[in-house]
């Protein structure tokens, strides 16, 4: 006997419809930002009504939070798993980049939700986004610590500076990559390997 599930429009199970809406919402929010995104457009992409969208998520904020948590959880878990696996400190930056590219290869606009300047400055969205950024900053600091100490450099300010630079490099690379759909995760990882090899000898 199978477990019964709530069914959404057109006979689709509710959880599948919600997942569709989160994917559509992620792309719309990523393209237009929180302030510019249209709930009507998100509903249209999935073939549901705007009232149904509000029934599932309660508000635009509720949908954005669902999209943000999906993006942030996948990203932080992927980076954490990669760093926990260990390896040579020199190779960790490329491994982390590869993990990020793989995570967002078919969902690239999700990255923009973590740093959307149009979200409310207070409230649940702001708090959640800040929390994910803090986690990513902690990973960057850990990676910078491991890399510099492996080279005999232990000044904490140097480490903080490298972590800050790394965060900016990652954001710039992914922002550049988002609008290049022909460049898949493997190609982007290979490109970064060439760049790092040429610049840093990694």
């Amino acid at each position: 006997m199978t477990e019964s599930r709530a069914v959404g429009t057109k006979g689709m199970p509710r959880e599948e419809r919600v997942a569709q809406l989160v994917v559509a919402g992620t792309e719309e929010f990523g393209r237009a930002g929180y302030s510019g995104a249209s709930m009507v457009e998100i509903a249209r992409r999935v073939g549901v009504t705007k009232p149904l969208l509000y029934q599932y998520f309660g508000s635009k904020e509720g949908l954005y939070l669902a999209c943000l948590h999906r993006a942030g959880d996948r990203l932080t878990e992927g980076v954490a798993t990669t760093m926990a696996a260990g390896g040579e400190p020199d190779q960790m930056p490329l491994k982390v980049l590869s993990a990020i590219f793989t995570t967002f290869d078919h969902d690239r606009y999700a990255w923009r939700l973590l740093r959307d300047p149009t979200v409310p400055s207070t409230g649940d969205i702001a708090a959640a986004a800040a929390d994910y950024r803090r986690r990513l900053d902690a990973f960057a600091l850990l990676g910078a610590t491991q890399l510099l100490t492996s080279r005999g450099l232990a000044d904490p300010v140097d480490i903080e500076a490298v972590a800050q630079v790394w965060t900016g490099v990652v954001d710039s690379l992914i922002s550049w990559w988002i609008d290049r759909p022909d460049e898949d995760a493997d190609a982007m990882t290979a490109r970064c390997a060439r760049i790092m090899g040429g610049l840093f000898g990694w």
Side-chain angles (χ1 to χ4, degrees), residues 50-86:
K50 183 179 175 181
L52 184 64
L53 186 56
Y54 278 92
Q55 179 184 329
Y56 284 167
F57 297 99
S59 63
K60 185 178 185 179
E61 178 181 7
L63 176 57
Y64 192 96
L65 276 170
C67 297
L68 176 61
H69 283 307
R70 173 176 169 270
D73 288 348
R74 291 170 63 211
L75 175 60
T76 53
E77 288 167 11
V79 173
T81 298
T82 299
M83 296 191 72

Side-chain angles (χ1 to χ4, degrees), residues 86-153:
E88 293 297 322
D90 280 2
Q91 296 302 312
M92 190 56 65
L94 184 61
K95 288 182 179 180
V96 168
L97 281 172
S98 180
I100 296 172
F101 296 142
T102 300
T103 297
F104 291 140
D105 199 8
H106 302 291
D107 193 24
R108 299 188 186 185
Y109 285 100
W111 174 261
R112 289 184 175 167
L113 273 63
L114 299 166
R115 299 182 182 279
D116 183 353
T118 73
V119 299
S121 59
T122 60
D124 292 341
I125 292 175
D131 181 60
Y132 286 121
R133 289 195 297 269
R134 279 194 295 269
R135 292 192 224 176
L136 293 172
D137 288 345
F139 289 134
L141 187 61
L142 175 60
T145 300
Q146 293 172 341
L147 179 60
L148 266 66
T149 55
S150 74
R151 298 184 175 187
L153 303 171

